[in-house]
């Protein structure tokens, strides 16, 4: 190996096996040159790249034999290890199997086939020596992996799986996942032609690349066949050391003006500055010196060099020359280093300056044009980068950063295929992945806030921010990315520090919620089971199901403690639960286990649960709610409310949306009354729902943003409304609350169907993160008869924003992580945020009384009325028409601008009703939108209020301190900047961006009351 580092280094360190001297910048003295020329030659073993050898036979019976072909020349002393241990999803070998170590005792020429015989007993090799370690034993359906280096940190060379495909994990002695170093069809093959013996029977003449591809083709393997005895390498073959005097090829020429250019397969020599050394990726990045580039912004000046084993002495800032073959690895253009032809120059050049890239980028091609280069990524407008996805933080050490927390399309837009496609493209341009420079899964240390490691007490939530990131731009196409998920990532070269707002707590939730008469919660308990793992159990209806909960008692206890902290911490009166085991109501049930644990924390007898049988109509009952492994359930505080009458469940014989065919879980309803106040007016019915998910396809995804099974969910919404119209619990009134997981985002058809059926959606905010996009599948609806009783509704952001690695699970975690990432606190008790509703039976405001006003908006005169809030509630001044932020809600326009008003001397917690009449009929989808903070998101953002629209008139209610009150304070003052928004026509799918304008929020919340004066204002009797 040629390593030129300094004219002062010992000659023996600079010896070259082939005797030729490379050019060294600055030159060497004649004495030094002579010493270099005549110094002792060191015959180093060959360091292999993936595919430099390929396995060509696999024989599990009667003896354990295998063979491999050498596709490049090997030096004497080269060692290759072979193992039948499976490779786990945690990036380690599965224990308790064996290894065979092969050593080349002489040089081996490219094309030679080496056969290992009797590997399970006393292995012999046709060339070289073979030594067995542990109990090597090939079996039918087994795998065989070839690698160099230590068992704990192998550099894989080739893999064969005697199955039709590689496994997700190594869970048995015959299963194995595919190591990240290897690629099926290139450096690995999964073949099952039949039986336990197979060999490659394809072409044996060609270039190394062609032969490598042929050997990795499963159809070229046959059962009970003999391997080839030799291969003939043609053009590009031989594997001999390339000419060290090969001319330097500019990196920009290698990268070209395309995603995957034509130099793949060619051997080239490059020169550049080392910008990052990444042992975790077994390589390094180089970049052309500033001043030596081609001046073409369309071509990248950076390149990743995959080395396997890093050259000795390699460091950032060095000028190096490297030689090797060019390839595309998961869409990243890279070089596989020929270690014998690598040199470090004595000169230290200036580091290339990072190129600044601003989100959102103009087009996604910007990334490819800078692939491999040092970059600085910022957000436009001087804003911070925002963590929008932390789902893969624990498994891969990655975060997705964007200009804001990115929403699901149908959270804010009506379903539409063209607009959905355009929106995903918009989202894609506004994000970048921050990686950790390690290819192994489940890294040992993860980043948290403030530059400190992640822990149970030091989280890293979505919504956290950092000013910028600096590093090299990498790319990895895993093949599982959604249309909105970028494959480009930054491997940081500077420390990244995140900041974030304080986590929500039970105390802050209580302060935000105020003091309603009744509190109702919808919560997902994430498959809380008493049985462990996949153990079978029997549902109340008698069918057998497999478990899907915690894997062992340790996990179950950890999960239960977190859920109890969540539910007791919310201090609610009624809890509607999703995803609890459907194993009845007895002593061994999940419901009994949960409520016992809640009472242990809150006090004996505090909580109880609603039990079957449930009435289903016509005097009939059913023992439980459906035949699925999970069901919905109700828990209540016995000291505050009591059940009124018998609970009801939908009869699946009549309402087939809730049977196994259509997949929605059976809803359960129970009427309650406050303890000590059983009057009919105070009774309310809670209905818990769990609509069909967007997976396990029933009816297909039509591409409009609603996902699969939308028709199944619409069927559930329609039949739910029909069932509730029969008053299944025999309630004395129609005051009804719907909670649960509706598996539909806010603007999707099932939500709109329920609203059209007479239920008002009163919850806002997001509750779930999926594929990097935030939305709400969990909602609260109330009947119109209960709407005036609604106080604050809060999505408690304790789960969806938190990293998944902080949950109760112990798998794929070290002992230190199992202890350090876990606490019994509520955070990450589920993947859904719970939602809490406050109800108060105060006298509702009279919508006919109030103060009239009129505004000249520029789009025509708007008539307005503000009513309610208490006897002394008054407008501070004439409401004003204001322009508002520079941008508009995504997919909407504000044709009449925005209205700003403030009202004082209102009842604390009082509700005002704002009625606005516009010059023209308002179109379908019109809503009243506001810009500012909400209880679950202190950052200013666009959000919609529940709006009643009839013709030209829109009406909204705003509660002091609740949703829509700009100061979010229960202080008898209501502040409101907002306006009616109508959906954009979306020709070609154009979607407006969502702004992030803190300056406007400050201005609005200060009471922006200037502008056009109201023509008249009066208080009506």
């Amino acid at each position: 190996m040629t390593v030129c580092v300094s004219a002062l280094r010992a000659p023996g360190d600079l010896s070259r096996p082939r005797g030729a001297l490379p050019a060294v910048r600055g030159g060497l003295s004649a004495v030094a040159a002579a010493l270099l020329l005549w110094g002792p030659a060191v015959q180093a073993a060959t360091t292999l790249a993936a595919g430099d050898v390929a396995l060509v036979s696999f024989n599990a019976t009667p003896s354990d034999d295998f063979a491999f072909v050498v596709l490049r020349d090997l030096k004497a002393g080269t060692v290759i290890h072979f193992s039948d241990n499976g490779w786990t999803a945690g990036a380690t070998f599965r224990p308790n199997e064996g290894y065979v170590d092969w050593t080349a005792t002489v040089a081996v020429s490219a094309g030679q086939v080496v056969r290992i015989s009797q590997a399970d007993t006393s292995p012999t090799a046709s060339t070289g020596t073979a030594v067995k370690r542990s109990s090597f034993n090939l079996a039918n359906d087994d795998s065989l992996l070839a690698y160099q280096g230590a068992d704990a940190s192998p550099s894989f060379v080739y893999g064969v799986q005697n199955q039709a495909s590689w496994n997700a994990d190594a869970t048995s002695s015959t299963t194995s996942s595919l190591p990240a170093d290897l690629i099926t069809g290139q450096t690995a093959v999964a073949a099952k032609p039949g039986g336990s013996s197979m060999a490659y029977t394809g072409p044996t003449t060609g270039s190394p690349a062609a032969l490598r591809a042929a050997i990795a083709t499963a159809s070229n393997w046959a059962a009970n066949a003999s391997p080839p005895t030799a291969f003939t390498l043609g053009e590009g073959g031989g594997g001999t050391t390339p000419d060290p005097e090969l001319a330097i090829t500019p990196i920009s020429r290698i990268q070209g003006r395309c995603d995957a250019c034509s130099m793949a397969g060619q051997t080239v020599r490059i020169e550049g500055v080392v910008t990052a050394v990444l042992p975790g990726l077994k390589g390094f990045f180089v970049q052309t010196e500033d001043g030596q580039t081609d001046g073409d912004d369309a071509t990248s000046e950076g390149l990743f060099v995959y080395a396997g084993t890093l050259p000795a002495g390699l460091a950032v800032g060095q000028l190096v020359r490297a030689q090797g073959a060019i390839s595309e690895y998961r869409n990243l253009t890279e070089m596989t280093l020929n270690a014998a032809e690598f040199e470090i120059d004595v000169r230290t050049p200036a580091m290339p300056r990072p190129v600044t890239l601003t989100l959102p980028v103009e087009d996604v091609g910007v990334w490819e044009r800078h692939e491999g280069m040092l970059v600085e990524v910022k957000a436009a407008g001087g804003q911070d980068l925002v963590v929008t996805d932390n789902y893969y933080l624990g498994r891969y050490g990655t975060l997705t950063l964007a200009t804001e927390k990115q929403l699901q399309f149908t959270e804010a837009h009506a379903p539409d295929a063209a607009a959905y496609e355009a929106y995903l493209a918009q989202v894609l341009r506004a994000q970048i992945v921050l990686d950790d420079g390690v290819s192994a899964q489940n890294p040992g240390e993860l980043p948290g806030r403030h530059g400190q490691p992640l822990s149970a007490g030091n989280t890293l939530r979505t919504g956290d921010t950092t000013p910028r990131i600096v590093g090299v731009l990498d790319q990895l196409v895993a093949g599982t990315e959604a249309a909105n998920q970028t494959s480009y990532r930054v491997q940081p070269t500077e420390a990244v520090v995140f900041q974030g707002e304080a986590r929500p707590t039970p105390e802050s939730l209580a302060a935000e919620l105020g003091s309603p008469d009744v509190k109702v919660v919808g919560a997902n308990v994430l498959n809380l089971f008493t049985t462990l793992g996949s153990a079978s159990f029997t549902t109340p209806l008698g069918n057998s199901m497999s478990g899907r909960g915690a894997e062992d008692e340790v996990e179950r206890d950890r999960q239960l403690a977190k859920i109890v902290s969540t539910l007791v911490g919310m201090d609610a009166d009624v809890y509607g639960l999703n995803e609890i085991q459907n194993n009845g109501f007895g002593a061994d049930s999940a419901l009994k286990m949960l409520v016992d644990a809640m009472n242990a924390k809150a006090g004996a007898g505090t909580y109880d649960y609603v039990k079957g049988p449930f009435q289903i109509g016509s005097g009939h009952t059913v023992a439980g709610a459906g035949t699925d492994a999970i069901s919905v359930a109700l828990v209540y505080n016995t000291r505050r409310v009591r059940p009124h009458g018998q609970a009801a469940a939908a009869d699946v014989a009549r309402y087939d949306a809730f049977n196994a065919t259509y997949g929605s879980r059976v809803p359960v309803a129970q009427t309650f009354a406050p303890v000590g106040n059983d009057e009919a007016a105070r009774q309310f019915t809670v209905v818990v729902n769990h609509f069909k998910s967007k997976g396990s396809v029933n009816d297909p995804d039509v591409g409009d943003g609603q996902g699969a099974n939308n028709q199944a969910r619409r069927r559930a919404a329609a039949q739910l409304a029909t069932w509730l119209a029969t008053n299944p619990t025999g309630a004395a009134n129609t005051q009804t609350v719907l909670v649960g997981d509706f598996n539909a985002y806010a603007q999707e058809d099932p939500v709109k169907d329920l609203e059209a059926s007479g239920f008002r959606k009163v919850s806002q905010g997001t509750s779930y993160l999926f594929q990097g996009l935030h939305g709400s599948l969990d909602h609260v609806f109330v009947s119109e008869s209960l709407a005036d009783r609604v106080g604050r509704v809060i999505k408690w952001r304790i789960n969806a924003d938190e990293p998944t690695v902080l949950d109760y699970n112990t798998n794929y975690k070290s002992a230190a992580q199992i202890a350090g990432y876990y606490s019994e606190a509520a955070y990450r008790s589920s993947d859904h945020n719970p939602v809490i509703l406050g109800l108060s039976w105060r006298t509702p405001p009279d919508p006919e009384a109030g103060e009239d006003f009129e505004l000249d908006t520029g789009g025509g005169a708007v008539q307005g009325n503000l009513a309610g809030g208490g006897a002394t509630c008054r407008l501070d001044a004439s409401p004003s028409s204001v322009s508002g932020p520079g941008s508009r809600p995504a997919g909407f326009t504000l044709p009449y601008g925005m209205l700003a008003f403030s009202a004082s001397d209102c009842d604390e917690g009082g509700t005002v009703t704002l009625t606005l009449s516009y010059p023209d009929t308002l179109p379908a989808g019109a809503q009243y939108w506001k810009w500012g903070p909400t209880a679950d998101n202190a950052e200013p953002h666009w959000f919609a209020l529940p709006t009643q629209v009839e013709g030209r008139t829109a009406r909204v209610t705003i509660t002091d301190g609740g949703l829509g009150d700009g100061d979010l304070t229960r202080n008898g003052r209501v502040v409101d900047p907002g306006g009616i928004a109508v959906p954009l026509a979306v020709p070609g799918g154009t979607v407006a961006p969502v702004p992030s304008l803190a300056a406007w929020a400050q201005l609005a919340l200060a009471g922006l009351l200037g502008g056009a004066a109201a023509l008249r204002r009066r208080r009506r009797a």
Side-chain angles (χ1 to χ4, degrees):
M1 180 173 70
T2 303
V3 183
C4 300
V5 291
S6 169
L8 301 178
R9 179 161 292 200
D13 291 338
L14 295 172
S15 61
R16 291 177 56 78
R18 298 178 65 198
L21 284 174
V24 179
R25 292 184 185 271
L28 293 173
S29 69
V31 173
L35 288 171
L36 284 171
L37 182 60
W38 297 106
V42 179
Q43 293 292 332
T46 303
T47 298
L48 299 175
D52 280 348
V53 302
L55 289 157
V56 294
S57 74
F58 176 105
N59 183 18
T61 55
S63 62
D64 288 10
D65 305 335
F66 60 89
F68 62 94
V69 62
V70 177
L71 296 177
R72 62 163 295 172
D73 293 345
L74 304 184
K75 297 175 182 177
T78 298
V79 176
I80 305 176
H81 309 290
F82 299 88
S83 180
D84 63 337
N85 279 309
W87 188 246
T88 71
T92 60
F93 277 116
R94 186 179 182 276
N96 302 323
E97 296 186 69
Y99 306 84
V100 170
D101 305 324
W102 176 81
T103 302
T105 53
V106 297
V108 180
S109 300
Q112 188 169 343
V113 173
V114 179
R115 301 191 63 163
I116 308 293
S117 303
Q118 304 295 329
D120 57 337
T121 54
S122 300
T124 60
S126 60
T127 299
T129 62
V131 177
K132 184 187 77 167
R133 287 187 286 133
S134 301
S135 56
F136 188 92
N137 181 25
L138 290 178
N140 189 18
D141 295 336
D142 212 342
S143 61
L144 184 60
L145 294 169
Y147 64 96
Q148 289 187 308
D151 299 342
S153 56
S155 295
F156 286 100
V157 180
Y158 207 83
V160 167
Q161 172 75 295
N162 186 218
Q163 298 183 33
S165 63
W166 293 88
N167 312 109
D169 198 0
T171 57
S172 70
S173 61
T174 59
T175 56
S176 177
S177 69
L178 180 66
D181 294 355
L182 303 180
I183 303 173
T184 298
Q186 297 181 30
T187 54
V189 60
K192 187 64 174 175
S196 58
S197 173
M198 62 179 184
Y200 170 71
T201 58
T204 57
T205 300
S207 68
L211 291 171
R212 192 178 296 119
I215 296 168
T217 301
S219 60
N220 286 333
W221 288 67
N224 303 314
S226 298
T229 56
F231 286 70
T232 302
L233 273 63
E235 182 180 353
T240 56
T241 305
D243 182 358
E245 303 305 326
L246 195 66
I248 298 293
T249 299
I251 292 174
S252 57
R253 181 183 167 198
I254 296 168
Q255 288 283 10
R257 289 170 165 257
C258 46
D259 287 350
C261 292
S262 57
M263 294 197 72
Q266 299 184 36
T267 296
V268 299
R269 186 173 176 81
I270 62 169
E271 179 180 88
V273 181
V274 178
T275 54
V277 177
L278 300 170
L281 297 181
K282 300 182 180 180
F284 55 95
F285 282 86
V286 294
Q287 186 169 332
T288 307
E289 292 181 75
D290 288 346
Q292 302 295 318
T293 67
D294 66 355
D296 185 354
D297 291 340
T299 57
S300 170
E301 298 289 349
L303 186 70
F304 179 67
V305 179
Y306 178 78
T309 300
L310 293 174
L314 183 69
V316 171
Q318 293 171 337
L319 182 67
V320 301
R321 282 174 289 280
Q323 192 164 309
I326 299 300
S327 62
E328 292 286 329
Y329 177 74
R330 298 190 179 182
N331 285 46
L332 174 71
T333 303
E334 67 176 24
M335 169 187 283
T336 299
L337 180 67
N338 179 348
E341 295 302 336
F342 175 79
E343 57 186 276
I344 302 171
D345 202 289
V346 295
R347 182 171 64 85
T348 302
M351 280 290 290
R353 294 181 299 274
V355 177
T356 298
L357 302 177
T358 302
L359 296 179
V361 294
E362 184 176 327
D363 66 84
V364 293
V366 167
W367 302 118
E368 185 63 28
R369 296 194 286 273
H370 296 89
E371 180 188 85
M373 296 177 64
L374 270 177
V375 296
E376 174 192 46
V377 181
K378 295 181 173 181
Q383 301 295 312
D384 286 342
L385 295 170
V386 178
V387 178
T388 191
D389 190 6
N390 57 9
Y391 183 81
Y392 293 111
L393 177 62
R395 186 171 183 183
Y396 299 117
T398 62
L399 297 163
T400 302
L401 310 181
T403 53
E404 61 185 345
K405 285 173 65 173
Q406 296 176 319
L407 292 179
Q408 293 284 349
F409 172 72
T410 48
E411 184 66 22
H413 304 87
D416 179 274
Y420 178 49
E421 182 178 359
Y423 181 82
L424 295 181
Q426 172 185 302
V427 166
L428 191 65
R429 291 189 295 105
Q431 65 176 227
I432 185 67
V433 172
L434 176 65
D435 209 338
D436 65 347
V438 177
S439 63
Q441 298 183 35
N442 311 302
E445 184 172 289
L446 300 171
R449 289 175 171 176
H450 315 300
Q452 299 301 310
L454 184 79
S455 68
N458 186 47
T459 187
L460 206 168
R461 289 162 58 92
T462 61
D464 286 0
T465 61
T466 190
R468 65 173 193 153
I469 57 174
V470 176
V472 287
L473 185 60
D474 193 1
Q475 186 181 20
L476 177 70
V477 175
T480 57
E481 296 86 357
N484 61 283
Q485 292 178 304
T486 184
S487 60
Y488 291 94
R489 58 204 55 229
V490 170
Q491 307 290 354
T493 57
E494 295 183 10
V496 183
V497 178
F498 291 95
Q499 308 290 338
E501 63 185 52
R503 278 169 155 174
T505 64
E507 294 75 21
S508 65
L509 176 65
E512 292 168 7
L513 192 63
S515 302
D517 298 334
V518 169
K519 292 175 281 187
V520 180
V521 158
N524 181 297
V525 295
L526 192 61
N527 293 313
L528 180 63
F529 277 54
T530 54
T531 56
L532 301 175
S534 59
S536 297
F537 67 95
T538 302
T539 75
L541 299 186
N543 61 301
S544 179
M545 295 297 293
S546 296
R548 59 179 72 168
E551 295 180 4
D552 53 41
E553 290 184 358
V554 171
E555 284 195 342
R556 185 182 62 194
D557 291 346
R558 286 159 61 102
Q559 180 187 21
L560 182 61
K562 278 190 167 292
I563 292 171
V564 168
S565 293
T566 298
L567 300 181
V568 174
M570 298 184 82
D571 190 30
D573 305 312
V574 180
Y575 300 85
L577 305 181
N578 293 126
E579 294 192 17
I580 194 160
Q581 185 176 15
N582 186 19
N583 64 341
F585 312 97
D588 297 329
S589 68
L591 262 173
K592 181 70 162 56
M593 176 184 70
L594 173 61
V595 171
D596 283 352
M598 293 175 67
N599 285 330
K601 189 178 185 74
T606 302
Y607 297 102
D608 200 354
Y609 54 97
V610 173
K611 306 170 183 66
F614 304 128
Q615 54 181 322
I616 58 174
S618 303
H620 299 292
T621 61
V622 65
T627 58
D628 195 21
I630 57 175
S631 65
V632 303
L634 282 154
V635 172
Y636 60 96
N637 188 316
T638 63
R639 294 167 183 168
R640 297 179 188 163
V641 298
R642 68 177 187 83
H644 192 278
Q646 186 178 5
D651 181 3
V652 297
R654 181 177 179 186
Y655 304 105
D656 61 3
F658 308 110
N659 66 20
T661 300
Y662 293 101
S664 291
R665 272 80 185 191
V666 175
V668 173
Q670 175 70 65
T671 299
F672 293 92
V675 170
N677 194 336
D678 199 20
E679 62 181 273
R682 295 295 182 97
Q683 292 179 16
F684 61 97
T685 300
V686 178
V687 187
V688 194
N689 303 273
H690 191 174
F691 284 9
K692 179 73 176 79
S693 72
K694 296 176 185 287
S696 58
V697 176
N698 187 322
D699 54 271
D701 184 349
V702 299
D704 62 356
Q706 300 188 91
N709 307 318
N710 184 55
Q711 296 308 313
R713 290 187 291 277
R714 295 194 75 177
R715 191 182 193 92
Q719 293 187 9
L720 174 66
T722 301
W723 176 57
L724 293 178
T726 69
N727 190 14
T729 64
N733 60 41
T734 60
Q735 295 182 152
T736 304
V737 179
L738 310 183
V739 297
D741 179 359
F742 294 86
N743 269 309
Y745 296 111
Q747 302 302 317
E748 293 186 6
D749 293 337
V751 173
K752 298 305 178 183
D753 291 346
L754 286 171
E755 290 178 325
S757 297
F759 294 98
R760 185 183 300 188
K761 188 172 82 71
V762 294
S763 55
Q764 299 291 325
T766 61
S767 69
Y768 193 67
L769 172 65
F770 181 69
Q771 292 184 334
L773 299 178
H774 298 259
S776 187
L777 302 175
D778 309 88
H779 307 290
V780 177
F781 298 84
V782 299
S783 57
E784 288 296 335
S785 58
L786 197 58
D788 289 336
R789 309 301 180 189
V790 173
R792 300 176 190 177
V793 187
I794 299 171
K795 299 275 178 68
W796 199 25
R797 293 170 51 224
I798 58 168
N799 291 329
D801 294 281
E802 296 281 343
T804 58
V805 74
L806 298 185
D807 66 12
Y808 71 86
N809 286 278
T810 59
N811 49 343
Y812 305 124
K813 294 175 184 174
S814 66
Q817 290 173 331
I818 290 172
Y821 288 167
Y822 177 80
S823 78
E824 292 185 358
Y827 309 111
R828 202 62 198 188
S829 57
S830 176
D831 50 352
H832 294 246
N833 290 332
V835 57
I836 186 167
L837 159 74
L839 294 173
S840 297
W841 272 265
R842 66 174 62 92
T843 302
D846 178 3
E848 295 303 320
E851 294 175 274
D852 289 341
F853 55 87
E854 183 176 306
L855 293 175
D856 182 1
T857 65
V862 176
Q863 309 291 329
N865 174 266
L866 185 73
T872 61
C873 189
R874 296 288 189 276
L875 287 166
D876 291 327
S878 299
S880 302
S881 178
V882 295
S883 59
S887 297
R888 295 296 184 253
F892 288 83
T893 184
L894 294 163
Y896 301 101
M898 296 182 71
L899 163 76
F901 77 84
S902 64
S904 298
D905 298 325
C906 306
D907 292 344
E908 288 194 10
T911 298
V912 299
T913 298
L914 177 66
T915 303
L916 299 170
S917 295
Y918 292 89
D920 300 307
T921 299
L922 296 173
Q927 289 180 292
Y928 192 82
W929 281 76
K930 292 178 55 62
W931 173 258
T934 54
D936 62 352
N937 186 357
E939 292 297 319
H941 60 285
W942 284 109
F943 61 94
L945 290 181
T947 310
Q948 290 179 280
V949 176
E950 297 177 3
R952 297 186 300 111
T953 300
R955 179 179 291 112
V956 294
T957 58
I958 302 170
T959 300
D960 176 37
L963 183 70
D965 184 10
D967 63 10
L968 288 179
T969 304
R970 188 182 173 96
N971 57 5
R973 186 168 186 266
V974 179
V975 179
D976 176 66
I980 197 73
V982 300
L984 282 169
V986 199
T990 302
V991 180
V994 178
S996 181
L997 304 175
W1000 162 251
Q1002 295 168 3
L1003 190 61
L1005 296 180
L1008 183 63
L1009 300 175
L1015 298 181
R1016 60 181 182 269
R1017 178 171 68 95
R1018 68 176 183 270
R1019 185 79 178 179
R1020 278 200 270 182

